[in-house]
mmCIF file with all atom_site columns, all heavy atoms in Angstrom:
data_model
loop_
_atom_site.group_PDB
_atom_site.id
_atom_site.type_symbol
_atom_site.label_atom_id
_atom_site.label_alt_id
_atom_site.label_comp_id
_atom_site.label_asym_id
_atom_site.label_entity_id
_atom_site.label_seq_id
_atom_site.pdbx_PDB_ins_code
_atom_site.Cartn_x
_atom_site.Cartn_y
_atom_site.Cartn_z
_atom_site.occupancy
_atom_site.B_iso_or_equiv
_atom_site.pdbx_formal_charge
_atom_site.auth_seq_id
_atom_site.auth_comp_id
_atom_site.auth_asym_id
_atom_site.auth_atom_id
_atom_site.pdbx_PDB_model_num
ATOM 1  N N   . ASP A 1 29  ? 97.827  126.001 108.312 1.00 93.00 ? 29  ASP A N   1
ATOM 2  C CA  . ASP A 1 29  ? 98.507  125.015 109.150 1.00 93.00 ? 29  ASP A CA  1
ATOM 3  C C   . ASP A 1 29  ? 97.879  124.893 110.541 1.00 93.00 ? 29  ASP A C   1
ATOM 4  O O   . ASP A 1 29  ? 98.560  124.575 111.500 1.00 93.00 ? 29  ASP A O   1
ATOM 5  C CB  . ASP A 1 29  ? 99.996  125.361 109.243 1.00 93.00 ? 29  ASP A CB  1
ATOM 6  C CG  . ASP A 1 29  ? 100.216 126.720 109.873 1.00 93.00 ? 29  ASP A CG  1
ATOM 7  O OD1 . ASP A 1 29  ? 99.213  127.418 110.157 1.00 93.00 ? 29  ASP A OD1 1
ATOM 8  O OD2 . ASP A 1 29  ? 101.383 127.093 110.090 1.00 93.00 ? 29  ASP A OD2 1
ATOM 9  N N   . LYS A 1 60  ? 83.465  116.632 74.346  1.00 97.00 ? 60  LYS A N   1
ATOM 10 C CA  . LYS A 1 60  ? 82.381  117.399 74.976  1.00 97.00 ? 60  LYS A CA  1
ATOM 11 C C   . LYS A 1 60  ? 82.369  117.194 76.489  1.00 97.00 ? 60  LYS A C   1
ATOM 12 O O   . LYS A 1 60  ? 82.268  118.127 77.249  1.00 97.00 ? 60  LYS A O   1
ATOM 13 C CB  . LYS A 1 60  ? 81.030  116.986 74.380  1.00 97.00 ? 60  LYS A CB  1
ATOM 14 C CG  . LYS A 1 60  ? 80.856  117.400 72.929  1.00 97.00 ? 60  LYS A CG  1
ATOM 15 C CD  . LYS A 1 60  ? 80.692  118.911 72.827  1.00 97.00 ? 60  LYS A CD  1
ATOM 16 C CE  . LYS A 1 60  ? 81.304  119.413 71.532  1.00 97.00 ? 60  LYS A CE  1
ATOM 17 N NZ  . LYS A 1 60  ? 81.387  120.856 71.457  1.00 97.00 ? 60  LYS A NZ  1
ATOM 18 N N   . CYS A 1 104 ? 85.600  105.550 96.075  1.00 97.00 ? 104 CYS A N   1
ATOM 19 C CA  . CYS A 1 104 ? 86.938  105.259 96.576  1.00 97.00 ? 104 CYS A CA  1
ATOM 20 C C   . CYS A 1 104 ? 87.353  106.421 97.479  1.00 97.00 ? 104 CYS A C   1
ATOM 21 O O   . CYS A 1 104 ? 86.890  107.542 97.304  1.00 97.00 ? 104 CYS A O   1
ATOM 22 C CB  . CYS A 1 104 ? 87.840  105.164 95.345  1.00 97.00 ? 104 CYS A CB  1
ATOM 23 S SG  . CYS A 1 104 ? 89.573  105.148 95.634  1.00 97.00 ? 104 CYS A SG  1
ATOM 24 N N   . ILE A 1 210 ? 96.452  105.342 99.871  1.00 98.00 ? 210 ILE A N   1
ATOM 25 C CA  . ILE A 1 210 ? 97.178  106.304 100.714 1.00 98.00 ? 210 ILE A CA  1
ATOM 26 C C   . ILE A 1 210 ? 97.985  107.290 99.872  1.00 98.00 ? 210 ILE A C   1
ATOM 27 O O   . ILE A 1 210 ? 98.822  106.884 99.062  1.00 98.00 ? 210 ILE A O   1
ATOM 28 C CB  . ILE A 1 210 ? 98.169  105.575 101.665 1.00 98.00 ? 210 ILE A CB  1
ATOM 29 C CG1 . ILE A 1 210 ? 97.475  104.425 102.425 1.00 98.00 ? 210 ILE A CG1 1
ATOM 30 C CG2 . ILE A 1 210 ? 98.834  106.560 102.624 1.00 98.00 ? 210 ILE A CG2 1
ATOM 31 C CD1 . ILE A 1 210 ? 96.366  104.838 103.364 1.00 98.00 ? 210 ILE A CD1 1
ATOM 32 N N   . LEU A 1 224 ? 108.101 106.880 105.089 1.00 98.00 ? 224 LEU A N   1
ATOM 33 C CA  . LEU A 1 224 ? 107.508 106.181 103.946 1.00 98.00 ? 224 LEU A CA  1
ATOM 34 C C   . LEU A 1 224 ? 108.007 104.741 103.881 1.00 98.00 ? 224 LEU A C   1
ATOM 35 O O   . LEU A 1 224 ? 107.227 103.805 103.664 1.00 98.00 ? 224 LEU A O   1
ATOM 36 C CB  . LEU A 1 224 ? 107.843 106.926 102.649 1.00 98.00 ? 224 LEU A CB  1
ATOM 37 C CG  . LEU A 1 224 ? 107.344 106.283 101.358 1.00 98.00 ? 224 LEU A CG  1
ATOM 38 C CD1 . LEU A 1 224 ? 105.815 106.268 101.292 1.00 98.00 ? 224 LEU A CD1 1
ATOM 39 C CD2 . LEU A 1 224 ? 107.888 107.020 100.129 1.00 98.00 ? 224 LEU A CD2 1
ATOM 40 N N   . ILE A 1 236 ? 100.261 102.764 98.350  1.00 98.00 ? 236 ILE A N   1
ATOM 41 C CA  . ILE A 1 236 ? 100.803 103.975 98.988  1.00 98.00 ? 236 ILE A CA  1
ATOM 42 C C   . ILE A 1 236 ? 101.567 104.786 97.941  1.00 98.00 ? 236 ILE A C   1
ATOM 43 O O   . ILE A 1 236 ? 102.517 104.276 97.342  1.00 98.00 ? 236 ILE A O   1
ATOM 44 C CB  . ILE A 1 236 ? 101.759 103.613 100.159 1.00 98.00 ? 236 ILE A CB  1
ATOM 45 C CG1 . ILE A 1 236 ? 101.017 102.744 101.190 1.00 98.00 ? 236 ILE A CG1 1
ATOM 46 C CG2 . ILE A 1 236 ? 102.345 104.862 100.802 1.00 98.00 ? 236 ILE A CG2 1
ATOM 47 C CD1 . ILE A 1 236 ? 101.906 102.161 102.279 1.00 98.00 ? 236 ILE A CD1 1
ATOM 48 N N   . GLY A 1 254 ? 102.396 131.654 83.393  1.00 92.00 ? 254 GLY A N   1
ATOM 49 C CA  . GLY A 1 254 ? 103.273 131.722 82.224  1.00 92.00 ? 254 GLY A CA  1
ATOM 50 C C   . GLY A 1 254 ? 104.747 131.747 82.578  1.00 92.00 ? 254 GLY A C   1
ATOM 51 O O   . GLY A 1 254 ? 105.592 132.066 81.752  1.00 92.00 ? 254 GLY A O   1
ATOM 52 N N   . GLU A 1 284 ? 114.655 119.122 92.929  1.00 97.00 ? 284 GLU A N   1
ATOM 53 C CA  . GLU A 1 284 ? 115.590 118.196 93.570  1.00 97.00 ? 284 GLU A CA  1
ATOM 54 C C   . GLU A 1 284 ? 114.893 117.213 94.504  1.00 97.00 ? 284 GLU A C   1
ATOM 55 O O   . GLU A 1 284 ? 115.165 116.024 94.477  1.00 97.00 ? 284 GLU A O   1
ATOM 56 C CB  . GLU A 1 284 ? 116.642 118.982 94.384  1.00 97.00 ? 284 GLU A CB  1
ATOM 57 C CG  . GLU A 1 284 ? 117.608 119.801 93.554  1.00 97.00 ? 284 GLU A CG  1
ATOM 58 C CD  . GLU A 1 284 ? 118.359 118.944 92.530  1.00 97.00 ? 284 GLU A CD  1
ATOM 59 O OE1 . GLU A 1 284 ? 118.779 117.829 92.880  1.00 97.00 ? 284 GLU A OE1 1
ATOM 60 O OE2 . GLU A 1 284 ? 118.504 119.408 91.368  1.00 97.00 ? 284 GLU A OE2 1
ATOM 61 N N   . ASN A 1 327 ? 80.302  115.813 66.216  1.00 97.00 ? 327 ASN A N   1
ATOM 62 C CA  . ASN A 1 327 ? 81.482  115.927 67.074  1.00 97.00 ? 327 ASN A CA  1
ATOM 63 C C   . ASN A 1 327 ? 82.235  114.604 67.037  1.00 97.00 ? 327 ASN A C   1
ATOM 64 O O   . ASN A 1 327 ? 81.632  113.551 67.235  1.00 97.00 ? 327 ASN A O   1
ATOM 65 C CB  . ASN A 1 327 ? 81.081  116.216 68.516  1.00 97.00 ? 327 ASN A CB  1
ATOM 66 C CG  . ASN A 1 327 ? 80.394  117.549 68.656  1.00 97.00 ? 327 ASN A CG  1
ATOM 67 O OD1 . ASN A 1 327 ? 80.941  118.574 68.262  1.00 97.00 ? 327 ASN A OD1 1
ATOM 68 N ND2 . ASN A 1 327 ? 79.177  117.541 69.179  1.00 97.00 ? 327 ASN A ND2 1
ATOM 69 N N   . ALA A 1 332 ? 84.041  110.507 76.626  1.00 98.00 ? 332 ALA A N   1
ATOM 70 C CA  . ALA A 1 332 ? 84.815  109.403 77.196  1.00 98.00 ? 332 ALA A CA  1
ATOM 71 C C   . ALA A 1 332 ? 84.142  109.040 78.509  1.00 98.00 ? 332 ALA A C   1
ATOM 72 O O   . ALA A 1 332 ? 83.941  109.905 79.362  1.00 98.00 ? 332 ALA A O   1
ATOM 73 C CB  . ALA A 1 332 ? 86.247  109.839 77.429  1.00 98.00 ? 332 ALA A CB  1
#
Side-chain angles (χ1 to χ4, degrees):
D29 61 356
K60 292 289 147 190
C104 168
I210 310 296
L224 177 65
I236 303 172
E284 292 303 318
N327 296 305

